[in-house]
Amino acid sequence: MKHYQAAIIGFGKAGKTLAAALGRAGWRVALIEQSSAMYGGTCINVGCIPTKTLVHEAQTASDFAAAMQRKSEVVSFLREKNYLNLAHLEQVDIIDGRAEFADAHTLNIVSDQGAQAIYADKIFINSGAEAIFPSISGLQPGPRIVDSSGILNLTALPKRLGILGGGYIGIEFAAMFASFGSEVTLFDSAPQFLPREDADISAAVQTILQDQGIRMALHTTVNAVSSSSDSVTLHTAQGDRQVDVLLVATGRRPAARQLKPENAGVMLDARGAVSVDRQLKTSVDHIWAMGDVTGGPQFTYISLDDYRIVYDQLLGKGTRSTDDRANIPWSVFMTPTLSRIGLTEAQAREQGRDIQVVSLPVAAIPRARVVNDTRGVLKAWWTGRISRLSAWHCWRWIHMK
Ligand SMILES: Cc1cc2nc3c(=O)[nH]c(=O)nc-3n(C[C@H](O)[C@H](O)[C@H](O)COP(=O)(O)OP(=O)(O)OC[C@H]3O[C@@H](n4cnc5c(N)ncnc54)[C@H](O)[C@@H]3O)c2cc1C
């Protein structure tokens, strides 16, 4: 059995960065990836990069086929670059296959070429997350019922696109496909759009999307789905709705169970994520987990920071932990962009904080006039002694830059 100092399961952001860093430091490293179409991980192949390329193409009025072609070129280029970055390192072996634990130091790896086992002193889980298909009768992946990866392989623009789930991924695809010219309907069982945002922010986003022609079917529970060769029907209490393609965007769950973590004594939490401490160590002393599989915020830059925390323990000062990142910024790439850092006003009030709030219509900012897009709102809250007027002026100054 081949012996490595480090085995990394998954070619995600944290995994590939750690593999390169440890390889350069002279460690013998195995990086195991189940699919050659996923070298570089979710972000490069089916996440940030293809979606943001398509958002850009949609904004520059490309036709759908040309946009998909450019998306494929960008992804292929980056996937190859990611592969070569590691393949060139003598100390790193890229092993194709699906890994699972045989015991706390041994991984079984199965591929079309056969099965093999490797032994590793330390193991790092970076297996990411996978789309959730809710249990609704008839809701099975197929040519017309797709997740966020499947929709990236469409060969023709659907005339009518249904999106199940009004979360951040659903919104990005809704805005993008509406710009390409699809009739888009967002279906969500929640009565309020974006329930985790403040009501004024979700209302502003809803108005912007509706002005773009996107229909909102909120408070709509889909009881069953049936598909034929040319359409998909959603059966709801409000009646049947027909679309040409249905995107299922109801969340992503950690890809942990299939690793057979119980064989190594690695504990999962109630949501099926790998349980980790603040330094990303699992319940087993020589096994760590990084990225989406830990059940934390699902962003590439969080996975990268997870790498930094683990690397710091292995070859640094050992001072980094997840406690260092109190406020995590994020954006949804609609136009204009929805971004937030920190708690919402509602969350801050729930925590009993004594806060002051200021909100400013984007239309009040000269830059919005310059670029001729006055949609949206800016909002901030703070505690302490800053006056409302100073906060307003400070913000206005920032946004004029
Ligand atoms: C549509 C979409 C858009 C997104 N847009 C953004 C964005 O704009 N900005 C942002 O920051 N984040 C975005 N994200 C989230 C981001 O892509 C993820 O948070 C990030 O890629 C997670 O990286 P990771 O390191 O956890 O692992 P991943 O990159 O998910 O990699 C995990 C790898 O492990 C492999 N694997 C799984 N199980 C096994 C196994 N048993 N054996 C071997 N290999 C295995 C998988 O094939 C995969 O390649 C988006 C996600 C999606 C789906």
Side-chain angles (χ1 to χ4, degrees):
M1 197 187 314
K2 228 169 166 181
H3 184 150
Y4 291 91
Q5 284 162 286
I8 300 169
I9 306 172
F11 207 139
K13 185 73 182 174
K16 66 189 173 192
T17 318
L18 186 66
L22 296 181
R24 283 198 203 96
W27 291 38
R28 284 291 298 147
V29 180
L31 183 133
I32 307 135
E33 171 51 54
Q34 64 187 353
S35 163
S36 58
M38 288 294 285
Y39 293 150
T42 300
C43 182
I44 300 292
N45 295 290
V46 291
C48 339
I49 297 297
T51 55
K52 267 82 255 179
T53 307
L54 288 175
V55 167
H56 174 76
E57 292 297 310
Q59 284 166 352
T60 48
S62 287
D63 113 277
F64 183 68
M68 291 298 257
Q69 173 63 28
R70 207 179 92 75
K71 178 267 305 173
S72 300
E73 286 164 11
V74 173
V75 168
S76 301
F77 170 78
L78 289 175
R79 182 190 301 140
E80 191 183 344
K81 198 165 179 304
N82 269 265
Y83 176 77
L84 292 176
N85 281 347
L86 286 187
H88 282 149
L89 293 174
E90 212 179 296
Q91 292 291 100
V92 179
D93 288 346
I94 300 171
I95 303 178
D96 290 316
R98 176 178 277 259
E100 60 184 41
F101 286 98
D103 60 43
H105 282 285
T106 312
L107 294 172
N108 287 333
I109 303 167
V110 179
S111 74
D112 294 344
Q113 272 66 52
Q116 61 172 306
I118 63 166
Y119 180 96
D121 299 332
K122 294 184 169 50
I123 298 178
F124 304 89
I125 304 171
N126 184 224
S127 50
E130 58 200 7
I132 298 169
F133 267 63
S135 95
I136 294 174
S137 167
L139 192 71
Q140 299 293 337
R144 291 186 178 274
I145 302 181
V146 291
D147 63 12
S148 63
S149 302
I151 197 169
L152 295 170
N153 296 325
L154 292 182
T155 49
L157 182 69
K159 189 167 168 334
R160 299 165 302 175
L161 175 68
I163 299 181
L164 194 59
Y168 307 109
I169 289 182
I171 292 175
E172 260 180 30
F173 279 105
M176 175 204 303
F177 273 80
S179 298
F180 280 126
S182 293
E183 273 171 30
V184 178
T185 309
L186 268 175
F187 296 90
D188 203 307
S189 54
Q192 192 204 318
F193 181 58
L194 286 179
R196 276 183 285 174
E197 300 307 314
D198 284 336
D200 51 348
I201 299 295
S202 55
V205 175
Q206 187 168 346
T207 305
I208 289 166
L209 293 177
Q210 283 172 328
D211 287 350
Q212 219 190 319
I214 296 164
R215 295 177 199 161
M216 301 278 175
L218 296 176
H219 218 167
T220 303
T221 303
V222 177
N223 300 318
V225 169
S226 47
S227 35
S228 68
S229 58
D230 59 1
S231 69
V232 178
T233 306
L234 293 91
H235 306 284
T236 79
Q238 287 82 2
D240 289 355
R241 305 286 288 271
Q242 218 171 46
V243 295
D244 301 313
V245 171
L246 178 65
L247 165 65
V248 180
T250 45
R252 290 171 63 79
R253 71 171 152 242
R257 285 194 203 285
Q258 55 267 51
L259 303 175
K260 300 201 175 149
E262 64 281 4
N263 291 345
V266 170
M267 306 288 286
L268 305 188
D269 68 16
R271 293 176 306 141
V274 177
S275 295
V276 286
D277 66 13
R278 37 197 287 286
Q279 290 193 308
L280 303 171
K281 197 169 267 191
T282 68
S283 46
V284 179
D285 207 41
H286 62 272
I287 302 179
W288 286 260
M290 309 174 288
D292 289 0
V293 76
T294 65
Q298 296 183 355
F299 298 114
T300 298
Y301 43 94
I302 293 295
S303 181
L304 179 64
D305 197 52
D306 284 357
Y307 145 74
R308 292 189 192 109
I309 291 170
V310 170
Y311 181 85
D312 182 52
Q313 283 166 73
L314 301 174
L315 293 170
K317 295 188 177 132
T319 52
R320 281 292 327 270
S321 82
T322 49
D323 293 348
D324 305 336
R325 47 183 196 223
N327 289 314
I328 296 165
W330 54 260
S331 293
V332 176
F333 289 77
M334 51 182 285
T335 307
T337 313
L338 166 64
S339 299
R340 172 152 67 86
I341 179 162
L343 302 178
T344 63
E345 177 189 348
Q347 289 165 338
R349 291 198 190 284
E350 270 164 31
Q351 291 187 0
R353 297 188 188 210
D354 180 17
I355 62 170
Q356 295 187 62
V357 181
V358 65
S359 76
L360 177 71
V362 167
I365 299 166
R367 186 173 181 277
R369 301 280 162 195
V370 172
V371 300
N372 198 21
D373 189 348
T374 55
R375 298 171 296 168
V377 65
L378 300 160
K379 180 174 177 183
W381 63 261
W382 68 95
T383 53
R385 287 176 178 278
I386 177 170
S387 77
R388 287 179 69 84
L389 193 64
S390 336
W392 195 87
H393 277 302
C394 176
W395 207 349
R396 215 166 153 214
W397 182 82
I398 290 168
H399 281 277
M400 281 171 67
K401 297 281 142 190

